[in-house]
Each structure stands twice: as C-alpha cells, then as structure tokens.
Amino acid sequence: MRLAAAAAAATRAAHGALAASLAVAELLHGARQELGIRIPRPLGNGPSRFIPEKEILQVGNEDEQMHALFADSFAALGRLDNITLVMVFHPQYLESFLKTQHYLLQMDGPLPLHYRHYIGIMAAARHQCSYLVNLHVNDFLHVGGDPKWLDGLENAPQKLQNLGDLNKVLAHRPWLITKEHIEQLLKAEEHSWSLAELVNAVVLLTHYHSLASFTFGCGISPEIHCDGGHTFRPPSVSHCCACDLTNGNHSTEETHVSPAGTVPATDSWCEVEALMEKMKQLQECRDEEEASQEEMASRFEIEKRESMFVFPSDDEEAAPAREILRHFEDTSYGYKDFSRHGVHVPTFRVQDYCWEDHGYSLVNRLYPDVGQLIDEKFHIAYNLTYNTMAMHKDVDTSMLRRAIWNYIHCMFGIRYDDYDYGEINQLLDRSFKVYIKTVVCTPEKATKRMYDSFWRQFKHSEKVHVNLLLTEARMQAELLYALRAITRYMT
C-alpha cells in the first residue's frame, strides 16, 4: 500500500512538474525580451533528426493516456527525454519500456544505483552513443557516484573494470561468449561478482547496447541542455524551430520531408503492393507444402552466409570522441561477422536454449521480477500491430514481423527449426537489410539516407516499430548467449 501511495504521489508531482515545464518557454522568452539575456535554443528541429517534428506528438497536445505516460516518464527519470517522445508513437510499448527501465535503475536489486548508471555508461560508450552516455553521467552524479570514475574506466573500481571484456564481446560478437568469461568474473581472487550481481549487470549491458541501436536508428537528437543539443546563434529566417519561442521566433513552420525522398510516389506505392503480393504467395506456399528439416537447415545456412555480405556502401569509420573513449578499453575491438577469416561458430539452436524455457526463469530467479518485465517488453514489440501496412488496412503483418526478428537472430547465428529462412529474401530487400544490419551491429554508422531508403511509402510510426523490433531482437540475442554461458558455468 505504501509503495502504491508513493507511486501515486510521484505521479501527481510529475503531472505538476510537467505542467509547470510547459510555461518555462514563455518565462524564458520574457527574460530575453526584458533583460536581454542570451537564451540557448535547440540545435535541431524536434526529438529526431530523421522524423519531421510536425509528425511527432507535441507536448501539450497529448490526450489523457499520453499525458499519463509522459508523467510516468517524468516521475521515473526526472525528465521527458527525446527517446520517450519518439517511442510514444507506440504507447503500449512505451509503458512497458518505462516500467522496465524504472525497475532497472531505481528499484531494489543486487547492484547499487551508481554502479547501474556506470554500467549504462560503459555499455553506451561501446557504440559511441554520446546521447546515452551524457544522460547517465548526469544520473550517475545525481545518485552520488564518484566524479573521478568519469575521468576514465581505469579510475573505476577493479570490479567494474573486470566487466570490460564481457561488455565488448556482448556488444560486438556475443556468439564468442563462453563459460570462461563468466568464471573469470565469478571466481576472481579479489573483486569477484556474485551470480545475482552478474545477471543484473548482463541485463543492464544488453539493455543499453540495444537502446543505443534505437537511439541511432531513429536519429534521436540531444536535449537542449546536453552537449550538442543547443546553440546561442539566432535562427535563420528560412530554418525555424518550433522551440524558438524562447528566442522570440514564433514561427512553427518547417519543410516536410517525405520518407520517400525524391522517389516518385507511384514507385514506392508499387513497392508496397509487391511486398503484399509476396506475403500472399508465401502464405499460399506454406498452405500447400512444407519444406523438410534438411531443406530448412540448408536455407538457414545460406541466409547466414549471405548476411555477411550485407554492409553499407559508405562504410566510414568515425573516430569516437575523447569523452566517450575513456569509458571503455580496447577501442579497436568492433563488430566482425562470425564466419569471417575461417572461424566457424556453431549454430545456436533455439530448441536447445531459448528465452521462454531457459533464459526467463534464470533471470527471474536471480533478479526477481526483471524476467517478467523483459518478457512483457519482448512480447509487446514482437506482437505489436495495428493491422496496417502503409496505406492499407486489415493486413496481417505477422509474417513480416517474424522475418525481421528471425533475420536479426540469424545474423547472430541463432536458428529456429520451425522457420523457413527462404522467406527472408522474399520479404526484406537489400536496402532494408543494410539498415537492419547497421542499426543492430554498428548502430553508430546509421544515417538518415539509410532510414529514408527502406519502406519508402510507410509511415514514420511503422519505421519506429521496426526499430523497436530491432532493439528487442538484439537484446534477446545478446541475453541468450550470456545466459547460456552462465547456465553452462552453473552446471
């Protein structure tokens, strides 16, 4: 009862704080006009560099359900961040995400709060995700973390430094995780981890690796108070931002950029029609005959090999910023396909170790309630549908969602015996595969051009849903490898 009362009080306070924040722009505008104070303004237009601001729900225009979600986010995080403002395209998922993240960062658990935020920094830094690093630097200090740790990983406790190897392998090549990685952490002579602490850390690492994928995949912009999120320069007449109210610019008009770019609408309309026709044909083939197990295994191996040759054409290496580099070691270690250089990695067969039968119970046993929260989040992302596809209604999209999820797991060497991997090449074209692989494996290389180039006639909400699928499928793949290694150590 006390917990419920505290939650209700926090929500009421968040509603009040959220309402008060809506008046801040007007106050700042007055300060600028009367006192001549320089007021920073957002550097970008809205929460995402990829999605036009006018297509994203504006704070103050939300309905009662959305307002409650915003208040929950404000109560849980002390802020209404841009990730929330983009995720709100899918309220059911956002609610589950906020519950999970609140539990991971603020509720009782094996690790102290400042350790949890520091692990979030370590995980986000592996993908050079300055957005998440900056958020958690502030949170780390807010919960009493030692500022010296932020000078570099070598200044953090040895126990956290020891987590560096697991962090890098999980982020970039999770199929290489073995029970020896687990043993090194649990049996260290000094600064050893308990099983419960390690599961807590693994969940946090996978959560923030995958959240970095969402952040880059949706082009999330830094908030105005963060590095790279503001400027003091006056806005140009031709490039106004809705948030420029504080600087005396009341124009909210902006150029709408279609997801289809310069491609004629008829061409992208034909793409949607062709995709729906393929779905129909594949369903008919399923109904007529089923491939043998040998054929299914062969198609998986073909798709796994082909996934190695999917990569962006402009594969530019961006040097990580110094403030990001200091949070992790072995900066040259990155994503490499599992079959490159003649290295053979055995296929991870889901019927031997799966989330539902094995991973879920292990997490719930060692970190109570978290398994349930993560499981709910996986199911919502995977099953989420409004039965629409671009301009079409009453469409069963389950085949397409499963193809996306299974393609991601295929890239990680994970196979479902009951799935025909021949469907993937029918449903996912090359530009879409490039986007998926980039966002999942090297998210820091995702670009607006990649985002614009796939599903060109689809709504932005549908593309955000794709990113939710990528985020959750990636997190589950990483968890499966780490939890299987923990199980092997335990047995």
Side-chain angles (χ1 to χ4, degrees), residues 46 57 93-94 101 124 139 147 165 169 210 216 247 255 262 271 283 297 334 370 442:
L57 179 66
Y93 175 86
L94 175 60
Q101 186 156 270
D139 291 341
D165 201 43
V169 180
S210 58
F216 284 116
N247 283 298
T255 304
T262 57
E271 288 176 2
Q283 187 59 55
V370 167
T442 53

Side-chain angles (χ1 to χ4, degrees), residues 168-236:
K168 79 176 185 185
V169 180
L170 254 184
H172 305 300
R173 307 172 204 174
W175 47 87
L176 297 182
I177 290 175
T178 64
K179 69 177 182 179
E180 283 71 33
H181 287 102
I182 307 304
E183 190 170 30
Q184 286 168 9
L185 292 165
L186 297 176
K187 287 195 169 181
E189 290 185 13
E190 294 182 73
H191 317 292
S192 63
W193 291 74
S194 71
L195 263 175
E197 288 174 333
L198 185 57
V199 167
N200 192 170
V202 162
V203 169
L204 285 165
L205 290 172
T206 58
H207 176 79
Y208 283 103
H209 293 156
S210 58
L211 193 55
S213 285
F214 183 85
T215 301
F216 284 116
C218 290
I220 301 294
S221 302
E223 280 80 17
I224 187 172
H225 62 278
C226 294
D227 290 345
H230 61 267
T231 180
F232 289 98
R233 291 196 308 271
S236 66

Side-chain angles (χ1 to χ4, degrees), residues 266-491:
T266 51
D267 287 358
S268 46
W269 181 83
C270 290
E271 288 176 2
V272 178
E273 297 298 309
L275 181 54
M276 291 188 65
E277 183 58 33
K278 284 177 185 173
M279 288 166 61
K280 181 182 174 186
Q281 290 171 0
L282 285 170
Q283 187 59 55
E284 289 171 353
C285 289
R286 272 186 191 174
D287 295 340
E288 288 174 12
E289 59 177 327
E290 191 172 305
S292 66
Q293 279 298 312
E294 292 76 12
E295 179 62 24
M296 301 264 263
S298 172
R299 290 174 185 174
F300 169 79
E301 292 300 328
I302 290 169
E303 190 57 50
K304 190 170 75 166
R305 281 197 302 274
E306 285 185 358
S307 75
M308 291 192 304
F309 301 102
V310 173
F311 49 85
S313 55
D314 52 348
D315 193 11
E316 298 176 5
E317 290 291 338
R322 192 167 58 83
E323 63 269 19
I324 301 298
L325 277 171
R326 62 188 175 205
H327 296 301
F328 65 97
E329 298 169 329
D330 198 357
T331 56
S332 62
Y333 191 94
Y335 173 78
K336 288 283 187 296
D337 288 307
F338 43 72
S339 297
R340 289 275 167 90
H341 311 300
V343 177
H344 175 69
V345 175
T347 292
F348 187 130
R349 299 171 75 232
V350 168
Q351 82 257 30
D352 295 336
Y353 195 95
C354 68
W355 166 255
E356 290 80 6
D357 296 337
H358 307 95
Y360 168 82
S361 57
L362 178 61
V363 171
N364 244 21
R365 179 152 50 93
L366 294 168
Y367 192 3
D369 297 329
V370 167
Q372 177 67 41
L373 290 166
I374 293 172
D375 187 62
E376 177 187 277
K377 192 158 58 76
F378 286 157
H379 279 283
I380 289 173
Y382 186 89
N383 295 310
L384 185 66
T385 182
Y386 306 97
N387 300 114
T388 59
M389 249 177 79
M391 68 294 290
H392 297 281
K393 296 180 179 179
D394 301 316
V395 182
D396 180 357
T397 61
S398 56
M399 181 183 289
L400 192 52
R401 284 181 276 120
R402 190 177 185 192
I404 294 168
W405 188 280
N406 286 5
Y407 180 61
I408 295 160
H409 281 197
C410 178
M411 291 191 304
F412 283 87
I414 298 172
R415 181 189 165 215
Y416 295 82
D417 280 0
D418 62 345
Y419 183 69
D420 181 355
Y421 287 84
E423 292 185 3
I424 288 173
N425 276 338
Q426 297 291 315
L427 298 174
L428 314 182
D429 63 25
R430 182 169 179 79
S431 64
F432 193 13
K433 284 184 171 182
V434 166
Y435 178 79
I436 291 172
K437 186 171 183 180
T438 303
V439 170
V440 170
C441 301
T442 53
E444 60 276 10
K445 296 180 181 177
T447 65
K448 186 175 187 302
R449 182 188 55 76
M450 290 180 197
Y451 176 90
D452 288 342
S453 69
F454 82 91
W455 283 10
R456 292 172 294 181
Q457 196 62 23
F458 284 70
K459 302 183 186 90
H460 288 290
S461 61
E462 292 170 309
K463 292 194 171 193
V464 171
H465 183 198
V466 166
N467 277 295
L468 297 181
L469 285 167
L470 306 192
T471 299
E472 297 301 334
R474 175 187 178 170
M475 182 175 179
Q476 189 178 100
E478 284 190 29
L479 273 176
L480 284 173
Y481 277 109
L483 296 173
R484 184 180 67 167
I486 291 173
T487 300
R488 285 178 172 176
Y489 166 80
M490 292 167 66
T491 55

Side-chain angles (χ1 to χ4, degrees), residues 122 153-165 329:
M122 290 173 63
L153 185 58
E154 68 277 6
N155 297 301
Q158 188 62 46
K159 184 170 179 172
L160 284 167
Q161 292 184 45
N162 292 347
L163 199 61
D165 201 43
E329 298 169 329

Side-chain angles (χ1 to χ4, degrees), residues 95-146:
E95 185 176 7
S96 176
F97 173 85
L98 290 173
K99 273 196 304 185
T100 305
Q101 186 156 270
H102 174 67
Y103 197 96
L104 290 177
L105 296 179
Q106 294 179 276
M107 300 299 284
D108 289 342
L111 292 173
L113 299 186
H114 63 300
Y115 265 53
R116 300 185 209 180
H117 288 293
Y118 196 82
I119 290 169
I121 293 168
M122 290 173 63
R126 283 270 23 143
H127 283 306
Q128 305 162 36
C129 188
S130 56
Y131 177 89
L132 290 175
V133 168
N134 289 335
L135 287 184
H136 285 282
V137 162
N138 292 332
D139 291 341
F140 171 77
L141 294 171
H142 181 71
V143 297
D146 185 344

